[in-house]
Amino acid sequence: MEILVCVKQVPDADVEVKLNADGKPNVDSIAPVVNAFDGYALEMATRFKEANGGTVVVMSIGSDNVKDSMKNCLAVGADEAYIISDVIADADTLATSEVLAAAVAKLEEVRGKKFDIVCCGKESTDFACGQISQELSEKLGYGEVVDVIGFEPKDGVLSVKKETEEGYNMLEIGTPCVLGIIKPDYEPRYPTMKSKMAARKKDIPVVETGVNAASPVKVVKVYTPAKKSAGVKIKEETNEESALKAFAMLVDAKVL
Amino acid sequence: MSKNIFVYVEAAEGKAKNVGLEILTPARVAADGGEVTAVVIGNGVEEAAKQAIAFGADKVIAVDDAQYATYNTDTYANALVELVKKYNPNAVFVGATPDGKDFAPVAAAKLGSGCVANVTGVAVEDGKIVYTSPVYAGAILNDAVCESDVEFAVLRSGAFKKAEPDEAKAGEIIAEPITCAADAIRAKVVDVVKEISETVNLEEADVIVAGGRGVGSAENFAILKELADALGGVIGATRAPIEAGWISRAYQIGQSGKSVAPKLYIACGISGATQHVAGITGADYIVAINKDEDASIFDIANVGIVGNLLEVVPVLTAEVKKLKG
């Protein structure tokens, strides 16, 4: 099967974002990484390929600035990587989905093969909209399953395990389809010296779709939430004294 | 400028889920003098429809059919799209449950509509609906507008307060017999497996005593449970104890878990990582207990106790029991 994994490069989620002097988020000063859920999607796709045969292709919207992320993906299971150069400023998820759908068609044309499965991470750590799988599936005219924690081939379709609040559902869906991946019970693999060197040698073609997608959702104001006023920190001689002192404050604050 | 707002009120086992009733409140704001219409989809939804009226809807459109007994992206999205095409609301509000987050953007994309995600605030400015959403794990807030003919928005649980219910209020319940053609249903549910038998209502809890990595073991959660019980609340957890297998993921609070808005949140052995804090921005009063005085949780706590939670929490529990008699 031909599997395409859509990858987004985001600022490292462990670093707190602040606003610059010009009122914009200071993301350019934070190290870029492959979005966590996309890493899980790539690992799941790679395991599927290793078990069932096929090819894993990754693609990301960006410029030279995403080259390292693409190389990292090639080093942990992706066979091919492409950069989609249609970067639309302030794209909302609908516009992004339109570009991604056009990119799917473009890559199918370039590679001469259709993709059977398009995987996306459930949400990206920056905006956490969690809507790409859904809107992309609609733009492609494919069915989708989100919150996927596993999938395997079954009688010509895919058997998909979907996490629910109470456990999981098993679904069946035909291909081509879109799968929105969340965290399975395994971690993505680490690259090896060998895989890193092989990745470095690979070409990362840049393709352009030329799509002019509009974003109905427009951000009109960016600001920081009101900071909670500094609280009180208690550290008495014993844990018991600290607890009693805190308790008195809670009673005073009438929160019990 | 008055608008007509659709509110999808999700039903589970015939009863309205809390978030659907909560978001009737911002829908009233967005309507700006216009109408709020609840949409209920399922199999046996009369009770949910009546609750929607009681909590603020002017009327309800009910799509009630065996086809909707189990959630399915295609059937639910199709129903919502058909209703939007027929009734032409200005905006569609959907609660951010797993199902809501799934089919709302599908329906929006089918209509070429924008869909604003993760909404925690709704206002009207210059006749336009303005949606507030946290980004970058809550460090930044974005105010956005949606410029498509129909605006879709997915609203977070616990971010809005339910109105006082008016059981006597009358409201029309319109039955719409919409079904989806079988060949348009692409994913089929073949098995529903319930692994988590415990249900905990984190989103409606007034008091939550939550544990992080510092709790140390599954057994130690009993200490937190005692405090929670004494306060009439529930326990919660961050991702670390869940991944360690100490507690079920039904209790998870944070970016990957539930967003909560209790009156009192007691964070025990929780460092305060952004992904967890993103889930508690709605908490009114935060108490933090941690051995590490530099833990970032103390930056957002009203009262911080630097100490060992295994000794601090039992003392608090004893004092609460004395207080409550």
Side-chain angles (χ1 to χ4, degrees):
Chain A
M1 284 203 169
E2 301 294 298
I3 308 174
L4 178 64
V5 182
C6 301
V7 169
K8 185 182 185 184
Q9 186 173 271
V10 294
D12 182 350
D14 289 331
V15 178
E16 191 185 339
V17 173
K18 298 183 162 70
L19 289 181
N20 278 332
D22 62 359
K24 296 202 163 76
N26 67 344
V27 293
D28 290 337
S29 63
I30 301 174
V33 298
V34 168
N35 176 50
F37 281 126
D38 302 347
Y40 288 115
L42 175 55
E43 179 62 31
M44 201 178 286
T46 302
R47 291 191 183 207
F48 183 96
K49 167 195 75 173
E50 288 167 344
N52 306 295
T55 312
V56 173
V57 177
V58 294
M59 73 172 183
S60 190
I61 299 173
S63 60
D64 272 352
N65 65 349
V66 302
K67 245 189 169 157
D68 283 345
S69 287
M70 292 292 90
K71 289 208 165 80
N72 291 340
C73 291
L74 288 166
V76 292
D79 299 299
E80 298 167 37
Y82 293 84
I83 294 174
I84 311 300
S85 61
D86 308 72
V87 175
I88 297 177
D90 305 317
D92 68 356
T93 55
L94 193 66
T96 301
S97 304
E98 217 176 302
V99 173
L100 291 174
V104 170
K106 188 82 190 191
L107 290 189
E108 288 180 337
E109 185 193 307
V110 162
R111 298 178 74 248
K113 279 183 237 190
K114 287 197 103 31
F115 289 109
D116 301 287
I117 309 169
V118 178
C119 296
C120 302
K122 175 188 172 81
E123 61 186 41
S124 56
T125 52
D126 48 5
F127 304 111
C129 295
Q131 300 185 154
I132 295 292
S133 304
Q134 300 87 314
E135 291 173 326
L136 176 59
S137 75
E138 195 42 44
K139 293 284 177 193
L140 290 168
Y142 297 169
E144 52 93 315
V145 183
V146 296
D147 296 331
V148 174
I149 50 177
F151 63 95
E152 50 183 35
K154 184 185 172 189
D155 304 326
V157 296
L158 290 181
S159 169
V160 179
K161 192 174 184 185
K162 173 182 172 157
E163 189 181 81
T164 62
E165 287 184 308
E166 293 146 339
Y168 63 90
N169 288 356
M170 295 304 301
L171 288 89
E172 281 172 10
I173 187 169
T175 58
C177 66
V178 175
L179 299 179
I181 313 290
I182 54 170
K183 198 171 175 292
D185 55 17
Y186 47 81
E187 290 298 310
R189 68 195 62 192
Y190 287 106
T192 61
M193 262 334 305
K194 189 171 164 205
S195 73
K196 275 201 257 200
M197 283 173 63
R200 237 177 283 154
K201 294 202 189 108
K202 282 192 171 165
D203 211 25
I204 302 175
V206 177
V207 300
E208 193 191 9
T209 70
V211 152
N212 190 6
S215 298
V217 178
K218 289 185 165 53
V219 175
V220 296
K221 189 172 163 206
V222 179
Y223 53 109
T224 47
K227 265 212 172 329
K228 267 181 132 56
S229 50
V232 169
K233 215 188 256 183
I234 300 167
K235 190 182 179 185
E236 301 296 294
E237 281 268 335
T238 66
N239 284 310
E240 187 180 346
E241 281 169 6
S242 296
L244 291 171
K245 187 165 180 188
F247 182 77
M249 289 189 180
L250 299 183
V251 170
D252 238 19
K254 297 191 184 14
V255 291
L256 301 169
Chain B
M1 188 180 127
S2 87
K3 295 191 156 81
N4 291 334
I5 314 292
F6 262 17
V7 176
Y8 175 65
V9 176
E10 184 169 326
E13 273 139 39
K15 285 193 160 65
K17 277 189 141 169
N18 209 47
V19 61
L21 302 176
E22 288 173 354
I23 67 178
L24 288 167
T25 303
R28 182 60 61 193
V29 169
D32 202 13
E35 211 174 41
V36 173
T37 302
V39 171
V40 190
I41 303 172
N43 191 210
V45 295
E46 312 82 46
E47 162 127 28
K50 288 190 194 139
Q51 287 174 281
I53 302 279
F55 281 91
D58 298 310
K59 61 181 201 269
V60 180
I61 300 170
V63 182
D64 200 331
D65 190 278
Q67 191 179 59
Y68 303 104
T70 300
Y71 170 77
N72 182 287
T73 314
D74 286 327
T75 60
Y76 277 63
N78 176 71
L80 186 56
V81 167
E82 290 306 307
L83 291 178
V84 169
K85 283 182 177 167
K86 180 170 177 181
Y87 290 90
N88 262 300
N90 299 99
V92 181
F93 287 9
V94 178
T97 63
D99 293 345
K101 289 170 75 165
D102 181 29
F103 85 99
V106 172
K110 280 187 198 285
L111 293 161
S113 293
C115 188
V116 191
N118 274 323
V119 175
T120 54
V122 171
V124 174
E125 281 167 33
D126 294 327
K128 283 182 149 177
I129 306 173
V130 179
Y131 305 93
T132 302
S133 305
V135 293
Y136 299 112
I140 307 283
L141 294 175
N142 278 354
D143 280 356
V145 296
C146 184
E147 296 186 339
S148 45
D149 284 342
V150 183
E151 305 172 30
F152 275 70
V154 177
L155 280 62
R156 279 249 210 113
S157 189
F160 305 95
K161 293 238 178 312
K162 280 188 292 202
E164 278 308 311
D166 179 0
E167 305 291 344
K169 179 158 162 267
E172 199 190 349
I173 300 177
I174 304 164
E176 281 284 354
I178 298 167
T179 53
C180 184
D183 61 8
I185 301 172
R186 285 142 327 159
K188 291 174 173 54
V189 179
V190 299
D191 201 5
V192 173
V193 178
K194 293 201 198 311
E195 291 177 311
I196 299 167
S197 50
E198 44 205 328
T199 45
V200 53
N201 197 341
L202 287 165
E203 285 139 326
E204 282 188 83
D206 277 336
V207 178
I208 300 175
V209 181
R213 193 185 304 276
V215 174
S217 72
E219 295 73 39
N220 286 342
F221 266 96
I223 299 171
L224 273 62
K225 179 101 185 8
E226 248 203 275
L227 177 57
D229 287 344
L231 289 165
V234 298
I235 55 171
T238 65
R239 202 151 85 135
I242 289 160
E243 296 199 336
W246 300 337
I247 189 168
S248 121
R249 73 177 153 85
Y251 294 91
Q252 189 169 355
I253 297 168
Q255 196 157 24
S256 304
K258 299 258 161 63
S259 273
V260 297
K263 297 199 171 81
L264 174 61
Y265 188 82
I266 303 180
C268 309
I270 291 174
S271 62
T274 44
Q275 293 83 352
H276 173 67
V277 166
I280 61 173
T281 52
D284 290 335
Y285 197 94
I286 298 174
V287 178
I289 307 165
N290 199 303
K291 269 193 275 197
D292 174 10
E293 68 182 304
D294 294 323
S296 51
I297 190 81
F298 289 123
D299 295 339
I300 59 154
N302 297 80
V303 172
I305 306 165
V306 182
N308 186 341
L309 68 100
L310 298 178
E311 291 185 30
V312 170
V313 173
V315 172
L316 291 175
T317 306
E319 293 303 303
V320 169
K321 285 181 176 170
K322 274 192 242 167
L323 181 76
K324 306 247 170 186

